[in-house]
Amino acid sequence: MRLRALLDTDALGLRLLGGEDELDRSVRGVMTTDLRDPSRYLSGGELVLTGLAWRRGPDDSEPFVRILQSAGVVALAAGEAELGDVPEDLVQACARHRLPLFAVNESVAFATITEHVVRQVSGERAGDLAAVVDRHRRLMTSGPAGGGPDVVLDLLGSDLDLNAWVLSPAGRAIAGAGAAAPELPASVCARLAAEHLSATRAGRRAPHRVTIDGTTYSLFPIRGGRGAVGASGGRDVRATVLSDWLLAVEADAGDWPDERLDLLQGVTQLISVERDRRDAARTVRRRLAQEVLELVQTGAAPAEIAARLRVAAPVLLPGLGTAPHWQVVVARVEWQDSDLEGGQVAQSLLEEILVDPLSAGPEPSDRIAVAHSGDEAIALVPLPAVPTDDGAEQGLIADALLTAVRDPLSAGLADDGRLTIGVSAAVHSAEGLRGALEEARHARRVAAARTGLVCAAGHQELASHVLLLPFVPDDVRRAFTARLLDPLREYDRKHRAELIPTLEAFLDCDGSWTRCASRLHLHVNTLRYRVGRIEQLTNRDLSRLEDKLDFFLALRMS
């Protein structure tokens, strides 16, 4: 379709600000973005819609327009809801680069324009997407109860005979093609997400194809409009790889003609609009979390914090009769050799991880409020103040959070990223929130001291020696463990004496000769010989508590 046709459609609320001579350009797609550099998502021929959140001052317009022009964008449409009139510096920049510029009336949603463009373009490419797009208005106007990604997927099943699912980057099923598609096992969802993230990190072009248990799936990215960028403003796939949804189709797209691939790309655009809409609906919860945490960190009076919590509780737990308990969860995403801030990625991950991994649908995170700053995200998790029947402790358990998502997220982090999480104990009042925040941060540092790409630690671990280990410098750790353990390792290497396993078993048995000999299937005299050799090589005495403790810590730090 041509730009002129968009301008002639009154329902779209477009007003031309420049580029009248370029209105015969053809539009091949549409993209909504507020990134300062969206070029990695552009392939040419798009109408770009923007709310201007990327613009911090007049000097930002020129580089933004230059990027769009270089990527082959056919026109830019700027919303008037954020700043009122479109800034003059943007008008002039578009004129210099001969990029047509439209103003979008604040009463018109970007979703309306997206729907119209996709319908027209797809109708020109292939007729079999027409039913999907024609009925997409129900998805955009009927609200969560009557729309959502399931509407589009149901049509893929009924009109195109394709089974399809929308998955989160952690492998949780968000939507499926209704009764036409079987429910995917959680293990398959996790493997599909992991394959998709691995392929994305490797720079392979979508769709990605993978075969699991004899079934071939094609994986298409569903990219949202928002995403983090490096401090230098450069493009980086790591900015969004852990927050984008994906569309899994039970088919081998390698045999598809270009027209059919275009169809599925159009479907991902429709679902992306819904993703952005759902994401925007979280704004209130995020703002509540940010306000509460700012009060906590600035040392506000407990009464002021309690008042803010009373505002948050009905939003996060509607219908709850009593004030809830609260837990704090802190997450940090860090990348090697990068100036990329991980806070926004960590925020998206926490909103996903804190959902029951067996729950389906895009809305289970309605009761989670997550704020972010720099590389850190902080979640305020409400817990109904209802005692359990068995008296067990309420709340989140650190290790359990990562059981279902560790493999997919590790694939997205690859070899240069880490996710670490800390979980506080539940607190019952505003006075306890500051301590809970510090407790969660300490627990996250304990998790960061461990090996692995995805690690978590809880408040239970802060009452033991592991609290001290993250604060021991690496060179001190290496020197300490080498002094105690290297003589034993060298002896084991030469004589196959198994002194290290003997030491571990002896400490695990609390120095009991009988229990240790039984565990190792040794005669007590043989065990005494080995322990004597350990003491001789290290000049330590395993009957002394101080030396036992040193060996215990050395083994833990090795």
Side-chain angles (χ1 to χ4, degrees):
M1 66 176 303
R2 300 190 183 278
L3 289 175
R4 192 180 305 279
L6 290 174
L7 193 61
D8 292 340
T9 305
D10 294 337
L12 300 183
L14 296 177
R15 180 164 48 89
L16 185 64
L17 300 181
E20 186 174 1
D21 295 338
E22 308 293 334
L23 291 181
D24 287 328
R25 292 184 178 184
S26 295
V27 180
R28 292 172 42 205
V30 63
M31 176 193 176
T32 300
T33 186
D34 277 314
L35 292 175
R36 301 181 73 182
D37 182 359
S39 53
R40 66 182 291 261
Y41 299 115
L42 299 170
S43 57
E46 294 94 349
L47 167 68
V48 170
L49 308 175
T50 180
L52 300 177
W54 52 266
R55 183 184 178 277
R56 300 171 186 170
D59 293 340
D60 292 336
S61 293
E62 173 65 25
F64 181 76
V65 173
R66 189 187 315 119
I67 288 169
L68 299 188
Q69 192 273 337
S70 299
V73 168
V74 298
L76 174 65
E80 296 178 320
E82 185 72 20
L83 301 178
D85 293 337
V86 176
E88 183 61 26
D89 49 90
L90 181 60
V91 176
Q92 294 176 4
C94 288
R96 283 192 294 273
H97 291 278
R98 300 181 63 83
L99 183 68
L101 175 63
F102 300 98
V104 182
N105 190 281
E106 62 180 352
S107 65
V108 178
F110 282 176
T112 301
I113 300 173
T114 299
E115 178 188 350
H116 180 83
V117 172
V118 172
R119 178 169 52 221
Q120 297 300 319
V121 172
S122 299
E124 294 172 2
R125 290 175 180 170
D128 57 353
L129 187 61
V132 175
V133 182
D134 284 340
R135 290 170 56 187
H136 183 239
R137 184 174 303 279
R138 176 154 44 107
L139 180 152
M140 303 308 302
T141 60
S142 58
D150 302 87
V151 175
V152 176
L153 298 189
D154 282 342
L155 289 166
L156 283 178
S158 61
D159 295 2
L160 306 184
D161 198 24
L162 289 175
N163 292 333
W165 302 264
V166 176
L167 306 179
S168 78
R172 186 172 61 85
I174 292 171
E183 181 177 342
L184 281 182
S187 59
V188 174
C189 291
R191 287 184 61 184
L192 290 174
E195 291 286 347
H196 172 73
L197 291 173
S198 294
T200 302
R201 286 303 312 272
R204 299 203 296 271
R205 186 175 180 178
H208 314 304
R209 287 175 289 161
V210 57
T211 300
I212 299 176
D213 298 331
T215 301
T216 299
Y217 301 88
S218 296
L219 311 177
F220 297 80
I222 300 172
R223 299 189 172 101
R226 73 179 184 94
V229 294
S232 63
R235 293 178 289 143
D236 197 322
V237 67
R238 295 172 293 186
T240 55
V241 66
L242 293 174
S243 56
D244 288 339
W245 289 354
L246 67 123
L247 175 67
V249 179
E250 189 179 330
D252 187 347
D255 299 329
W256 287 1
D258 290 343
E259 291 79 4
R260 178 54 65 93
L261 289 173
D262 285 343
L263 283 174
L264 269 294
Q265 295 294 349
V267 168
T268 63
Q269 287 187 5
L270 297 181
I271 298 174
S272 178
V273 171
E274 179 66 10
R275 164 69 192 271
D276 290 342
R277 172 180 158 182
R278 305 274 179 153
D279 198 56
R282 294 177 175 171
T283 301
V284 173
R285 298 191 297 279
R286 289 171 175 166
R287 186 179 299 122
L288 285 171
Q290 192 71 49
E291 291 174 353
V292 171
L293 292 168
E294 285 177 358
L295 291 174
V296 170
Q297 295 185 96
T298 56
E304 187 177 359
I305 299 174
R308 187 66 63 185
L309 287 175
R310 283 194 294 272
V311 173
V315 175
L316 299 176
L317 286 176
L320 190 65
T322 58
H325 299 169
W326 302 90
Q327 265 184 299
V328 176
V329 182
V330 173
R332 193 176 183 92
V333 172
E334 297 171 292
W335 305 102
Q336 296 176 9
D337 304 321
S338 174
D339 59 2
L340 186 70
E341 289 189 350
Q344 196 169 25
V345 177
Q347 181 184 48
S348 295
L349 286 180
L350 268 190
E351 289 173 336
E352 174 63 29
I353 290 171
L354 294 176
V355 174
D356 180 352
L358 298 180
S359 65
E363 288 300 324
S365 60
D366 275 350
R367 296 183 176 183
I368 300 164
V370 186
H372 78 86
S373 176
D375 288 332
E376 183 181 69
I378 304 170
L380 193 63
V381 182
L383 304 171
V386 179
T388 57
D389 294 336
D390 57 3
E393 184 177 358
Q394 252 187 316
L396 304 169
I397 306 299
D399 288 341
L401 290 177
L402 301 180
T403 301
V405 303
R406 181 175 275 108
D407 289 346
L409 296 185
S410 295
L413 291 163
D415 295 326
D416 58 353
R418 287 200 78 200
L419 167 67
T420 51
I421 293 176
V423 182
S424 79
V427 295
H428 311 149
S429 64
E431 289 87 345
L433 273 182
R434 185 177 181 84
L437 176 58
E438 290 307 313
E439 187 174 62
R441 283 175 167 158
H442 276 299
R444 193 207 63 78
R445 286 193 284 271
V446 169
R450 297 171 175 166
T451 58
L453 301 180
V454 181
C455 298
H459 60 92
Q460 303 92 338
E461 299 170 72
L462 301 187
S464 74
H465 64 279
V466 296
L467 174 62
L468 304 175
L469 299 186
F471 306 103
V472 179
D474 289 341
D475 54 347
V476 175
R477 284 167 174 254
R478 287 190 291 269
F480 179 73
T481 58
R483 187 166 60 251
L484 279 177
L485 302 182
D486 278 4
L488 307 182
R489 293 182 178 125
E490 181 64 17
Y491 192 88
D492 281 348
R493 187 182 66 81
K494 291 181 178 179
H495 303 284
R496 299 182 181 179
E498 297 187 354
L499 296 185
I500 291 289
T502 300
L503 176 62
E504 292 175 331
F506 188 72
L507 294 175
D508 285 345
C509 293
D510 297 324
S512 169
W513 297 100
T514 304
R515 284 194 288 123
C516 184
S518 175
R519 175 184 292 190
L520 296 176
H521 306 290
L522 297 175
H523 192 277
V524 172
N525 288 342
T526 304
L527 175 62
R528 290 185 185 277
Y529 173 81
R530 288 188 184 180
V531 170
R533 179 63 66 185
I534 291 170
E535 293 174 332
Q536 181 184 22
L537 290 170
T538 60
N539 198 28
R540 297 295 184 109
D541 183 353
L542 276 168
S543 67
R544 298 178 66 246
L545 176 62
E546 294 88 344
D547 288 342
K548 286 181 182 177
L549 180 59
D550 283 349
F551 277 121
F552 176 78
L553 292 174
L555 289 168
R556 282 299 181 97
M557 289 192 291
S558 64

